[in-house]
Amino acid sequence: MIKPMSVEISKGPLSKLMLPAIIILGVVLRLYRLGGQSLWFDEMYAIWANRLPVGGLIREHLASGHPPLYYLVMRVWFALGTNEYWIRLFSVLAGAATIWLVYLAGKELYSRKAGLWGAAFTSLSPLLVWYSRAATFYSFMIALATLSFYMLVRCSRHGGWLNWAGYTIATVAVFSTYFFAGVLLVAGTAVFLLLRSRDNGRLVPWLVCTSLLCAAAIASFFASRQAISESTSRLHFPGMDELLRLIYGIALAPFVLSAGPLDEAMNYKGTEGAPKSHLLALLLVIVVTVVIMGVSPRVRRWFTMKETRAVCLYAAILVAGPLALQIANQGLLSGRFYVWAAPVLMLLAGAAVAAIPGKKQVVAGVAILVGLIFLSGWTLSGGHIARDADWQGMLGIVADQKQDQDRMLCFPLHNCVMAAGYYLPGEMSIVGGMPSMTDNRVYFMPRGAEWTGYRSGYWAGTGASPPLGDGDLGARVSEDLAGAGRVWLVAEPQMLQKYPEVGEALGENWTNVGEWDYGYFKLGLYERHN
């Protein structure tokens, strides 16, 4: 008869294999068809920028609004290969490190059992699986943020200058990777004050490290602010509608962190027509939690522990901080801004399950694992919001049929520049513009200039020409296509509906001789007939 897991799992001959098995499971899940999909924009951008000299690479990524540490690390990684599988493998390894760090944090805060449950949930988390399969800075940043949290817990519990040095280095690394990392200072202060013992000897190293981190955060902010190509002077106090959207975004965060990329890429522009089913699912979780608390004194005690209060507050700040900053800057809300809170939520879920007594613990844990397996399977099967077009397939058609003097007209322009640099052999003239995120205008580069990165201009960047709207857009498109016999049009279907002048410019003197639908983008081939 199999012994129930309610017994202390640190006992038994197979206990030492549990953590390696969990990590291996997470790695296998992340490696599944890792190179099967073409790269999307952020991945292609990392490869494109890697071709610049080191100084240019740093300036370019600062101009894009991202500190450069990840891209400097990837410069070494890319030296060994740049195929789809290899460039994503680094994120897989960072994801495996996150699983291990969640286990260590859970063990330090609660127990080995809590750490193992948390690691298992992290291993199967659809959101973390998603980012661990993308060649972007997110998986690297999540691992660093989780390391920062673990080191902070050790500092709060044990002190020691070695622990404080590790915490400081890990946190500075997050500052050097993520623009909103200053939020970690607020979250870290809350955790330290809640977890530290009354030994005043730990207050001095905390003050020293916090002072160093404040200086690093300020330096990171101003370095990015001065270099970023878009205007950063749009900070404003949110109005009532924006505050309501912020509250809605925060309320929806547990669903996004749990369900993953089903909705993480969605910008929450308002509450009207919002997916109320998500809030109902969250309400159901709250009701179940209250019921469990009512029937289990052990779970009630877990909720009142200072460790639980500290972790809950930490996760809340990691979610609310970036959302508040982003809505005050651009009025947008997206799950990618608080994805670093996912490991903390998985740790909380693992500790909560570990607090359930008897066989109910196994039932609750397995139920969560089954749900995560289903959601991760849905993510890997492609049943989620498309992040980008199949650039490999789309530009494969262009490569097979292109002729000399062909031109590509693309909206947004930078997507095609990045994709052509990776997937399109040979040279092709690429023109087009970048639709505004806030109105019905389109930004173009100055006439005759090519888009060469964020330093050369973006939406409101210094290098872009004034935006064009009704009456001017069609004339600019016609001018960009002057002298071309054939043009490949790449654009989002919604963009063509929003800007009919683009279609009109390709109407009178052009014939559509081919069209291919790639979901997020459409590809069309036009020939001039006069």
Side-chain angles (χ1 to χ4, degrees):
M1 187 174 180
I2 299 175
K3 247 184 176 179
M5 284 184 65
S6 56
V7 209
E8 179 56 44
I9 57 178
S10 61
K11 300 175 182 178
L14 298 180
S15 63
K16 293 182 179 180
L17 298 178
M18 289 184 178
L19 180 61
I22 289 171
I23 294 176
I24 291 172
L25 173 63
V27 170
V28 169
L29 194 62
R30 286 155 173 79
L31 289 177
Y32 173 73
R33 297 186 61 194
L34 186 63
Q37 294 181 337
S38 67
L39 303 180
W40 49 284
F41 173 75
D42 286 355
E43 296 177 308
M44 294 184 294
Y45 173 69
I47 297 174
W48 176 86
N50 181 64
R51 301 170 183 173
L52 299 171
V54 173
L57 175 72
I58 293 174
R59 290 191 297 272
E60 170 63 27
H61 285 294
L62 286 174
S64 73
H66 296 100
L69 178 61
Y70 168 77
Y71 301 98
L72 291 174
V73 173
M74 293 307 289
R75 190 176 186 86
V76 179
W77 189 262
F78 289 159
L80 302 176
T82 55
N83 62 69
E84 289 92 341
Y85 189 94
W86 178 257
I87 68 171
R88 290 167 174 160
L89 184 60
F90 183 84
S91 292
V92 172
L93 299 178
T98 300
I99 299 171
W100 176 59
L101 289 167
V102 167
Y103 164 76
L104 293 177
K107 182 181 177 182
E108 183 69 40
L109 277 169
Y110 296 103
S111 65
R112 184 170 183 268
K113 186 188 298 185
L116 286 172
W117 279 117
F121 298 156
T122 303
S123 175
L124 297 173
S125 164
L127 192 65
L128 296 176
V129 168
W130 173 269
Y131 279 107
S132 295
R133 291 169 53 83
T136 65
F137 73 90
Y138 284 103
S139 185
F140 180 63
M141 179 271 292
I142 291 167
L144 290 175
T146 309
L147 175 61
S148 171
F149 173 71
Y150 168 62
M151 295 307 301
L152 178 62
V153 170
R154 287 192 57 83
C155 292
S156 305
R157 286 287 186 85
H158 310 294
W161 283 104
L162 190 60
N163 286 329
W164 282 111
Y167 166 66
T168 304
I169 293 172
T171 309
V172 169
V174 184
F175 290 157
S176 303
T177 307
Y178 187 42
F179 190 57
F180 289 142
V183 172
L184 284 182
L185 287 176
V186 180
T189 298
V191 168
F192 174 75
L193 294 178
L194 281 171
L195 290 184
R196 78 181 182 97
S197 66
R198 297 306 174 187
D199 178 9
N200 290 331
R202 291 182 191 155
L203 197 58
V204 173
W206 173 73
L207 289 172
V208 171
C209 292
T210 301
S211 300
L212 293 173
L213 293 175
C214 284
I218 293 171
S220 172
F221 173 77
F222 280 106
S224 295
R225 181 185 175 90
Q226 290 178 3
I228 193 170
S229 62
E230 289 187 77
S231 171
T232 56
S233 60
R234 292 171 291 180
L235 288 173
H236 63 282
F237 188 80
M240 183 56 67
D241 180 63
E242 289 179 321
L243 287 175
L244 289 175
R245 281 188 282 142
L246 176 61
I247 293 171
Y248 174 78
I250 293 173
L252 195 59
F255 178 88
V256 175
L257 290 170
S258 302
L262 295 170
D263 294 282
E264 69 85 24
M266 182 172 64
N267 289 326
Y268 309 120
K269 296 177 183 283
T271 55
E272 184 178 353
K276 301 296 190 301
S277 59
H278 300 171
L279 293 179
L280 290 175
L282 177 61
L283 179 62
L284 177 62
V285 171
I286 294 174
V287 170
V288 171
T289 301
V290 172
V291 170
I292 293 175
M293 289 177 62
V295 300
S296 174
R298 184 174 169 182
V299 175
R300 285 200 300 272
R301 286 195 300 271
W302 177 82
F303 270 97
T304 59
M305 292 172 60
K306 66 177 182 179
E307 289 82 1
T308 302
R309 286 184 279 119
V311 178
C312 286
L313 182 59
Y314 189 83
I317 294 173
L318 291 190
V319 169
L323 288 185
L325 290 172
Q326 189 63 20
I327 203 168
N329 185 39
Q330 292 184 329
L332 300 175
L333 296 174
S334 176
R336 63 189 174 93
F337 297 127
Y338 55 74
V339 64
W340 59 359
V344 183
L345 182 65
M346 296 300 106
L347 169 61
L348 271 174
V353 168
I356 300 174
K359 296 180 180 180
K360 296 176 183 177
Q361 178 184 136
V362 181
V363 174
V366 170
I368 294 175
L369 290 174
V370 169
L372 292 176
I373 290 172
F374 172 79
L375 291 171
S376 292
W378 177 259
T379 298
L380 295 177
S381 69
H384 49 72
I385 296 176
R387 294 298 302 261
D388 215 330
D390 176 11
W391 288 103
Q392 183 177 19
M394 188 157 51
L395 293 186
I397 292 176
V398 177
D400 290 341
Q401 301 185 29
K402 76 172 182 174
Q403 301 175 6
D404 292 341
Q405 308 305 318
D406 276 8
R407 202 164 297 177
M408 185 177 293
L409 176 65
C410 192
F411 301 92
L413 171 65
H414 58 310
N415 290 60
C416 286
V417 172
M418 299 295 103
Y422 188 80
Y423 285 116
L424 192 62
E427 299 291 333
M428 176 178 280
S429 175
I430 302 176
V431 296
M434 289 161 273
S436 170
M437 298 177 65
T438 56
D439 54 36
N440 290 329
R441 299 183 296 175
V442 179
Y443 288 90
F444 289 82
M445 296 302 299
R447 289 175 175 83
E450 295 183 357
W451 191 83
T452 55
Y454 286 86
R455 293 172 299 164
S456 67
Y458 197 61
W459 285 305
T462 56
S465 62
L468 303 178
D470 293 339
D472 299 321
L473 181 56
R476 174 59 194 261
V477 170
S478 297
E479 182 179 338
D480 283 343
L481 298 182
R486 301 200 319 168
V487 60
W488 296 89
L489 173 65
V490 180
E492 303 172 21
Q494 298 87 342
M495 188 272 174
L496 297 177
Q497 296 173 4
K498 187 177 181 180
Y499 304 99
E501 286 185 83
V502 174
E504 293 169 4
L506 287 168
E508 185 176 348
N509 300 319
W510 297 85
T511 301
N512 186 345
V513 295
E515 194 165 87
W516 299 265
D517 188 352
Y518 280 88
Y520 200 69
F521 282 91
K522 278 193 173 181
L523 173 67
L525 175 59
Y526 294 80
E527 288 185 352
R528 195 187 294 271
H529 57 72
N530 66 342

